[in-house]
């Protein structure tokens, strides 16, 4: 389905005045971010700005000390990560190697866990309910593998693959359960120029072909300025600029944050 | 393949004499327990240092059923499910701390549980001895499956082979469906697993329940196989042996557990032979159980450091070496589907 | 009075053992399951040397062996597997511990040996107290104060915390990470050795020393793995419960610490005074 750029509905993901503290450290300070469907919102900021922590707060990994996270109009603040995942929130990881011993298909079947409705013990039988469900979900997985052009790696063990492919596998794992909200933690960091363009191509296709709200953490400012519908800039846990990407890039706060971080 | 293997397995008792059959029977019992601990420890990463305790649960259930019910048909058809249920229940209790703490704490909880189970079990046996005058050790009668009595080494072979095959099929099924993937994922990173919508606490408890219930089944069979309830046989060393089985065989692999069980059961016989042939000093034979423990601990360490995927991993590597020879790596483009 | 003396002695043993575990845990986030084996080996070595040479030589040899075995545990069991999941470190130390136990059994044939430390005795109230008991109290008190002060007021405590929590960062800040790790294993082994001596002098050197050493793990977990004060509290609690139960049911007394541990793990998983451990980061 090609939707083109439609006017955003009510934001699928609302982060309202969220504060996260680690001991004395204010990792997020009253952060407010809206991600409407089908927008692609870029999240930029120097290292340690709190970008990953924002995704952690949304997915229930970090507990906000104040503020709210709202998914599709439902307040999910303080819910367990697995419950939030069940509301249609998926994320990729900055370092995706944790599950490297699985093959590509297995990794995606792992991502499909929520879609498998059979009780775990049905798995003991080599036929029946569990096997039917697995076969049904495997078809969805194959679609994602096709979409990400990973066929040739299908049965390879993930950790033996090039880093760029591992990042794609992680993206695929997050995509399998058909999330409403997709959070991408530095999907292109550490990739070669070519791999990076490949990744950007898939993310842009997702933006236009799927009805998603996407939040994309990116260090390549040129890339994200070109692709994002909106940009949010974080620095020391605070939002220092929001809006049209080119304008955000021009704001003095953003310029000085990057210059400051570089020096 | 599978059919050929089954036919071969079926005629084994007519080829080997009872001594070798008895060894195989011990291997089967160990297999069941090893597959169990492989689920808790190999797949889900919860190190279980109390396997002997879970085995004991099964043996006590065997004793309880044999004594309190007393009907010979109950010895298998009631005792087996009862042992599995009791094992699962104990597994859940022992695994409970694992819901909130990780790694180290859980290991010590399993060890502590072993001591407590051993104590309670001994108390129970004393009670039986005093009230029912059962004698020093509790004798168990034979198993009766209703269609056949299990007493000879050969009939035990068929029973244990069948149970082991069922356990292998069921465990492989679990390992390759959602439970198996969830276990392996939470072993590697609990938080990331949770973020994927998987209830980590739930699957940890399941891993303990399934692992302990298989161990308990093995313990129950062990009791009937030896015709007695003999808690002294289950020491911390037994727990170490079971860990050795899966580390040597290959953690997180059903085939590895089977291989490791065979290895750990059979190695002592080879060891005894070696000590005999080379005229080892007498204390090596007198303290043979210590020698055995040392060898297992040493092998555990070697495999952990050098071949974390165990014999199965070693086998894979050797196979790849010969398949690819003279090249070292597989060309990337090959095997396109 | 009698009960108080028994509790004090049991608590001192418990505390010294627990402290060894806590020390390693603070620096490495590893539980040293090799400690029981180390304790057995050094105790037997000491009695053997003592029967051929002056006691001082035997003690020095034992201490040296303890330090060496502590270092060995680190170099063989931990260094090669740094960066791999926690359960690997548990298993390697378990393996080393049982290897030592096996070697000790084969060499010393599970005999009971006597370790004769010079001793005197004095009366406390109406009870005769031997000097090794008193030494044990002093050792526990001294070690407790020493470690408490060191952790709180010197950089060592900070180093341990930094090493355990932020390995890479610690290295960048110039903390000698490897030295800190090595030192925690050596210190734990030495603490264990002190207990081995005192216990051995009291009840003979037997294989039972190994299971007594297991007590250290229990104490550390009940108290909270990263808390010296917690270890002290747990040592007293467990010593008290044990001294009380032993009067009615000696066999129950040997398992009662494990029952307490299970109860604590279910009720307060991080121990009485431990800080809740942080989950992995994403
Ligand atoms: N679990 C945690 N515990 C303590 N401090 C944390 C934790 N996670 C992140 N931090 C700190 O919060 C700050 C923001 O981190 P993060 O969100 O990862 O930054 P980035 O923008 O680079 O993704 C950093 O100073 C980091 O050290
Ligand atoms: Mg980050």
């Amino acid at each position: 389905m090609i939707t083109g750029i439609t006017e955003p509905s009510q934001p699928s993901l609302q982060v309202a005045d969220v504060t996260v503290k680690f001991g004395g450290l204010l990792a997020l300070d009253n952060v407010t971010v809206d991600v409407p469907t089908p927008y692609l919102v870029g999240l930029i900021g120097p290292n340690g700005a709190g970008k990953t922590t924002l995704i952690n707060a949304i997915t229930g990994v970090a507990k906000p000390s104040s503020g709210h996270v709202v998914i599709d109009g439902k307040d999910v603040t303080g819910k367990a990560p697995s419950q939030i995942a069940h509301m249609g929130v998926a994320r990729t990881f900055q370092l995706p190697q944790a599950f490297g011993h699985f093959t590509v298909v297995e990794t995606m079947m792992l991502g499909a866990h929520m879609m498998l409705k059979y009780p775990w013990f049905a798995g003991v039988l080599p036929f029946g309910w569990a096997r039917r469900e697995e076969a049904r979900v495997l078809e969805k997985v194959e679609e994602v593998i096709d979409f990400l052009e990973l066929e040739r790696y299908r049965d390879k063990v993930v950790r033996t693959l090039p880093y760029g492919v591992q990042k794609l596998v992680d993206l695929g794992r997050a995509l399998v359960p058909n999330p409403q909200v997709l959070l991408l933690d530095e999907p292109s960091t550490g990739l070669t120029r070519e791999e990076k363009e490949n990744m950007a191509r898939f993310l842009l296709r997702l933006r236009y072909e799927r009805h998603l709200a996407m939040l994309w953490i990116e260090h390549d400012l040129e890339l994200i300025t070109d692709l994002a519908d909106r940009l949010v800039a974080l620095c020391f846990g605070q939002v220092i600029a929001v809006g049209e990407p080119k304008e955000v890039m021009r704001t003095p706060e953003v310029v000085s944050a990057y210059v400051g971080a570089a020096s | 393949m599978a059919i050929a293997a089954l036919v071969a397995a079926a005629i084994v008792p007519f080829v080997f004499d009872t001594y070798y059959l008895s060894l195989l029977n011990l291997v089967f019992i160990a297999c069941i327990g090893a597959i169990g601990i492989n689920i808790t420890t190999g797949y889900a990463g919860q190190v279980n240092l109390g396997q002997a305790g879970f085995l004991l649960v099964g043996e006590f259930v065997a004793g309880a059923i044999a004594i309190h019910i007393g009907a010979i048909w109950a010895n298998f058809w009631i005792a087996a499910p009862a042992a599995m249920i009791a094992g699962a229940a104990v597994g859940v209790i022992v695994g409970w701390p694992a819901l909130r703490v990780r790694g180290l704490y859980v290991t010590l909880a399993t060890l502590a549980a072993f001591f407590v189970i051993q104590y309670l079990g001994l108390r129970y046996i004393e009670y039986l001895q005093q009230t029912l005058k059962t004698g020093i050790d509790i004798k168990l009668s034979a198993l009766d499956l209703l269609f056949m009595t299990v007493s000879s080494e050969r009939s035990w072979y068929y029973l244990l082979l069948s149970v082991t095959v069922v356990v292998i099929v069921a465990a492989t099924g679990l390992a390759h469906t959602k439970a198996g993937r969830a276990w392996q994922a939470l072993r590697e990173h609990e938080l990331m697993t949770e973020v994927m919508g998987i209830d980590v606490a739930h699957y940890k408890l399941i891993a303990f329940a399934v692992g302990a219930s298989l161990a308990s089944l093995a313990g129950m069979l062990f009791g009937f196989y030896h015709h007695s309830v003999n808690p002294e046989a289950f020491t911390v060393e037994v727990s170490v042996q079971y860990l050795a089985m899966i580390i040597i065989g290959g953690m997180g692999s059903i085939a590895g557990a089977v291989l490791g069980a065979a290895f750990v059961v059979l190695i002592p016989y080879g060891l005894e032979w070696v000590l005999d042939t080379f005229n080892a000093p007498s204390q090596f034979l007198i303290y043979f159980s210590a020698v055995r423990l040392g060898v297992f601990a040493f092998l555990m360490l070697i495999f952990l450091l050098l071949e974390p995927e165990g014999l199965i991993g070693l086998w894979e590597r050797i196979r790849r070496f010969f398949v690819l020879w003279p090249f070292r790596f597989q060309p990337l483009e090959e095997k396109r589907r | 009075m009698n009960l108080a003396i028994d509790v004090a002695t049991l608590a001192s043993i418990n505390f010294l053992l627990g402290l060894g575990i806590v020390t390693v845990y603070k620096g490495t986030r590893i539980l040293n399951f090799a400690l029981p084996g180390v304790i057995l080996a050094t105790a037997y070595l000491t009695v053997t040397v003592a029967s051929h040479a002056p006691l001082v030589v035997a003690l020095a040899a034992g201490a040296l062996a303890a330090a060496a075995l502590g270092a060995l545990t680190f170099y063989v069991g931990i260094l090669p597997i740094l960066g791999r999941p926690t359960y690997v470190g548990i298993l390697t130390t378990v393996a080393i511990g049982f290897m030592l136990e096996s070697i000790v059994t084969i060499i010393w044939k599970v005999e009971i040996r006597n370790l004769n430390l010079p001793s005197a005795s004095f009366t406390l109230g109406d009870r005769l107290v031997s000097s090794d008991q008193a030494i044990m109290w002093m050792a526990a008190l001294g070690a407790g104060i020493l470690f408490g002060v060191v952790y709180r007021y010197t950089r060592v405590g900070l180093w341990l915390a930094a090493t355990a929590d932020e390995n890479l960062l610690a290295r960048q800040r110039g903390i000698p990470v490897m030295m800190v790790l090595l030192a925690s294993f050596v210190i734990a082994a030495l603490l264990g050795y002190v207990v081995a001596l005192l216990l051995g002098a009291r009840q003979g050197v037997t294989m039972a020393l190994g299971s007594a050493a297991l007590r250290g793990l229990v104490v550390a977990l009940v108290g909270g793995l990263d808390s010296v004060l917690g270890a002290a509290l747990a040592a007293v609690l467990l010593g008290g419960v044990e001294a009380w139960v032993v009067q009615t049911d000696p066999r129950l007394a040997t398992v009662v610490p494990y029952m307490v541990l299970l109860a604590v793990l279910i009720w307060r998983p991080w121990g009485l005074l431990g800080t809740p451990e942080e989950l992995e980061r994403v």
Side-chain angles (χ1 to χ4, degrees):
Chain A
M1 180 174 64
I2 297 182
T3 52
I5 298 184
T6 47
E7 270 310 298
S9 49
Q10 183 210 13
S12 303
L13 167 64
Q14 290 172 286
V15 177
D17 292 327
V18 162
T19 298
V20 173
K21 291 180 191 153
F22 294 117
L25 180 83
L26 254 185
L28 291 180
D29 185 4
N30 269 313
V31 169
T32 298
V33 174
D34 280 355
V35 186
T37 306
Y39 268 25
L40 199 177
V41 174
L43 180 59
I44 60 169
N47 270 324
K51 304 182 296 297
T52 300
T53 305
L54 179 58
I55 288 191
N56 284 346
I58 298 168
T59 50
V61 171
K63 302 284 173 225
S65 56
S66 66
H68 296 276
V69 177
V70 180
I71 309 284
D72 257 338
K74 288 184 211 71
D75 191 338
V76 300
T77 327
K79 287 222 161 86
S82 63
Q83 286 176 301
I84 294 177
H86 277 273
M87 315 230 7
V89 179
R91 69 180 280 179
T92 66
F93 299 104
Q94 199 167 340
L95 298 172
Q97 296 100 326
F99 306 126
H101 68 284
F102 284 118
T103 64
V104 172
V105 186
E106 282 169 347
T107 309
M108 305 229 176
M109 288 301 287
L110 175 67
H113 188 92
M114 287 182 288
M115 307 166 77
L116 295 162
K117 298 296 178 216
Y118 64 87
W120 64 272
F121 50 82
V124 299
L125 290 180
F127 49 82
W129 193 359
R131 304 299 152 147
R132 276 199 308 274
E133 285 267 300
E134 292 263 325
R136 178 180 65 81
V137 168
L138 187 60
E139 277 174 31
K140 297 260 161 67
V141 164
E142 301 290 3
E143 280 169 26
V144 174
I145 290 180
D146 277 348
F147 174 79
L148 294 173
E149 296 164 16
L150 288 169
E151 297 87 355
R152 59 187 264 212
Y153 303 113
R154 194 180 174 284
D155 293 309
K156 293 267 189 311
V157 173
V158 172
R159 66 164 166 245
T160 64
L161 299 174
Y163 190 67
V165 180
Q166 295 189 21
K167 285 264 192 181
L168 279 179
V169 173
D170 195 43
L171 173 63
R173 193 223 76 232
L175 275 180
V176 168
N178 256 322
Q180 304 299 302
V181 176
L182 182 60
L183 310 166
L184 304 151
D185 197 347
E186 305 195 14
S188 83
T189 305
L191 270 50
T192 64
R193 188 77 242 168
E194 206 179 324
E195 287 171 337
K196 203 184 253 191
E197 278 164 11
N198 208 27
M199 175 67 80
R201 179 165 64 87
F202 290 128
L203 293 180
L204 212 57
R205 270 188 69 188
L206 282 179
R207 155 78 182 83
Y208 287 100
E209 294 177 18
R210 296 237 199 158
H211 206 63
L212 275 175
M214 285 161 87
L215 184 66
W216 175 356
I217 299 181
E218 182 54 61
H219 278 306
D220 187 332
L221 299 180
E222 217 173 308
L223 182 73
I224 197 72
T225 315
D226 284 348
L227 299 188
D229 300 304
R230 260 194 215 176
L231 222 47
V232 177
L234 268 184
C235 193
F236 293 116
Q238 288 179 322
V239 176
I240 52 172
V242 197
E244 172 63 25
K246 295 219 166 56
E247 277 166 27
V248 167
M249 290 311 298
R250 277 195 298 269
T251 48
E253 286 87 353
V254 172
V255 174
S256 70
Y258 274 90
V259 172
S263 62
Chain B
M1 246 303 271
I3 294 183
L6 279 185
V7 171
I11 57 174
V12 157
F14 298 97
V15 181
F16 291 110
D17 64 21
T18 34
Y19 175 69
Y20 290 106
L21 278 188
S22 72
L23 289 188
L24 278 177
N25 285 339
L26 289 177
V27 170
F28 287 139
I29 295 175
C31 267
I32 298 167
I35 290 171
I37 194 173
N38 200 21
I39 285 178
T40 321
T41 303
Y43 278 92
Q46 313 294 310
V47 177
N48 171 10
L49 207 47
Q51 180 78 346
F54 295 143
L55 290 161
L56 265 178
V57 170
E59 228 194 34
F60 289 130
V61 169
I65 301 264
I67 286 166
H68 296 306
I69 297 191
I72 191 165
W73 55 268
N75 284 358
F76 185 79
W77 295 115
I78 299 221
M84 293 187 75
I85 291 169
V90 173
V92 166
I93 295 171
V94 175
W96 200 264
L99 296 190
R100 293 202 283 167
V101 293
R102 286 174 309 141
L104 315 156
Y105 298 82
V106 178
T107 304
L108 224 70
T110 58
L111 186 60
F114 161 67
F115 288 115
V116 175
I117 292 169
Q118 193 183 41
Y119 172 79
L120 294 178
L122 286 172
R123 269 330 201 17
Y124 169 62
I125 291 208
E126 272 169 26
Y127 159 81
L128 289 182
Q129 284 164 352
Q130 280 158 10
T131 54
L132 303 173
K133 306 277 178 286
T134 47
I136 296 300
D137 51 342
I138 294 178
K139 289 269 171 260
L140 297 180
S141 50
L143 284 187
D144 190 84
L145 301 184
L146 296 179
F147 57 88
M148 88 181 202
T149 323
V150 184
S151 56
S152 69
E153 213 55 74
R154 189 182 286 177
S155 53
W156 267 106
Y157 171 86
Y158 285 120
L159 173 66
L160 291 173
L161 174 70
S162 320
V163 175
T164 307
V165 168
V166 169
V167 168
I168 289 176
V169 169
T172 310
L174 283 183
H176 289 135
T177 49
K178 68 182 194 183
R181 288 187 297 262
W183 288 329
Q184 293 176 64
L186 77 89
R187 172 189 74 196
E188 300 299 323
H189 205 294
E190 290 186 15
L191 204 48
M192 285 191 183
T193 306
E194 185 85 26
V195 167
M196 291 187 284
I198 297 171
D199 187 346
V200 166
H202 180 68
Y203 278 97
K204 269 193 199 169
L205 279 191
I206 294 173
F208 271 101
V210 173
S213 100
L214 287 178
S216 177
L217 177 64
M220 169 246 149
L221 290 167
F222 189 85
F224 279 111
Y225 182 71
H226 287 288
H227 301 295
S228 71
V229 176
N230 176 21
E232 270 86 39
F234 296 96
T235 56
V236 175
E237 192 205 333
V238 171
S239 300
V240 177
Q241 281 179 12
Y242 273 89
L243 278 177
M245 288 178 201
I246 58 169
I247 291 169
I248 292 171
M251 287 207 271
S253 148
I254 304 289
V258 173
L259 207 58
F263 190 85
V264 167
V265 170
L266 298 180
I267 271 291
Y269 297 93
L271 201 61
E272 233 164 350
W273 180 83
V274 169
L275 291 179
D276 261 346
T277 337
F278 291 95
N279 279 319
S282 65
Q283 66 237 54
F284 281 88
L285 290 174
I286 300 171
Y287 298 105
F288 185 68
S289 71
V291 176
R292 198 170 57 189
L293 177 66
V295 169
F296 288 144
F298 178 72
L299 287 174
M300 259 168 80
L301 189 64
I302 293 298
F303 273 94
L304 283 168
L305 297 181
L306 303 179
E307 186 53 80
E309 285 169 33
L311 289 173
I312 286 289
L314 197 63
W315 160 246
E316 272 298 311
R317 242 197 266 178
I318 292 171
R319 206 181 53 111
R320 214 166 334 154
F321 177 80
F322 282 107
V323 168
L324 296 179
W325 197 85
F327 302 106
R328 300 244 339 252
F329 300 103
Q330 202 161 0
L332 252 184
E333 286 303 317
E334 183 235 31
K335 257 181 79 179
R336 243 185 131 137
R337 323 183 15 136
Chain C
M1 194 66 211
N2 270 345
L3 191 63
I5 290 174
D6 288 340
V7 171
T9 307
L10 280 171
S12 306
I13 299 167
N14 286 345
F15 178 65
L16 287 172
L17 288 164
L19 199 55
I21 301 293
V22 169
T23 304
V24 170
Y25 186 80
K26 267 178 172 294
T28 59
R29 293 286 179 268
I30 287 167
L31 276 196
N32 187 356
F33 281 95
L35 209 51
V38 172
I39 285 180
L40 270 177
T42 51
Y44 270 102
L45 186 78
T46 309
V47 274
T48 307
V49 177
S51 61
H52 301 291
L55 186 63
V56 191
V57 178
L59 293 181
L64 215 62
L69 288 177
L72 183 90
T73 312
F74 173 69
Y75 279 115
V76 175
I78 300 303
L79 194 58
I81 57 124
L82 283 181
R84 282 171 59 192
T86 329
Y87 66 85
V88 183
I90 301 176
L91 291 171
T92 50
T93 56
V94 166
I96 292 172
F98 280 108
M99 269 163 71
L100 289 173
E101 204 172 310
S102 150
I103 292 168
V104 169
T105 312
I106 295 165
I107 296 180
W108 284 285
K109 313 180 190 125
V110 297
E111 282 166 6
I112 300 178
R113 301 286 182 95
N114 286 320
L115 175 65
N116 295 312
L117 297 180
S119 72
S121 52
F122 55 92
T123 51
L124 196 64
D126 52 358
R127 164 95 172 242
L128 201 65
V129 179
S130 70
S131 59
D132 51 65
Q133 246 172 321
I135 292 174
M136 193 124 53
W137 304 345
M138 315 274 251
L141 206 61
I145 292 171
L146 181 70
F147 278 74
V149 167
V150 164
Y151 286 148
R152 178 148 306 178
Y153 298 107
T154 70
R155 288 215 307 250
V156 173
L158 198 66
W159 281 5
L160 287 177
T163 309
D165 291 337
E166 299 274 357
N167 207 304
L168 188 66
L169 205 65
R171 219 170 297 199
Q172 287 164 351
R173 298 272 160 84
I175 295 174
V177 170
M178 286 304 143
M179 285 308 296
V180 173
L181 292 181
L182 178 60
S184 11
F185 275 87
V186 171
I187 292 170
L190 287 172
L191 278 172
Y193 178 59
V194 173
V195 182
L197 285 180
L198 296 170
L199 270 181
R202 259 166 74 79
Q203 57 196 36
V205 173
T206 70
M207 294 308 281
L209 279 187
S211 36
L214 215 49
R215 191 69 54 76
L217 289 165
V218 176
V219 170
L221 258 79
V222 169
L225 272 172
D226 56 350
S227 166
V228 174
L229 198 61
L233 194 65
V236 174
L237 173 73
L238 289 169
V241 172
E242 198 180 336
W244 175 58
V245 174
V246 85
Q247 295 171 339
T248 51
D249 184 350
R251 271 194 318 171
L252 180 61
T254 61
V255 284
V256 94
Y258 299 108
M259 293 176 169
V260 173
L261 173 65
L262 282 179
V264 168
L265 281 180
I266 288 169
W267 166 59
R268 255 185 99 88
W270 298 282
L272 298 176
L273 295 183
T275 32
E277 70 179 321
E278 192 191 304
L279 275 172
E280 322 91 315
R281 294 200 191 164
V282 179

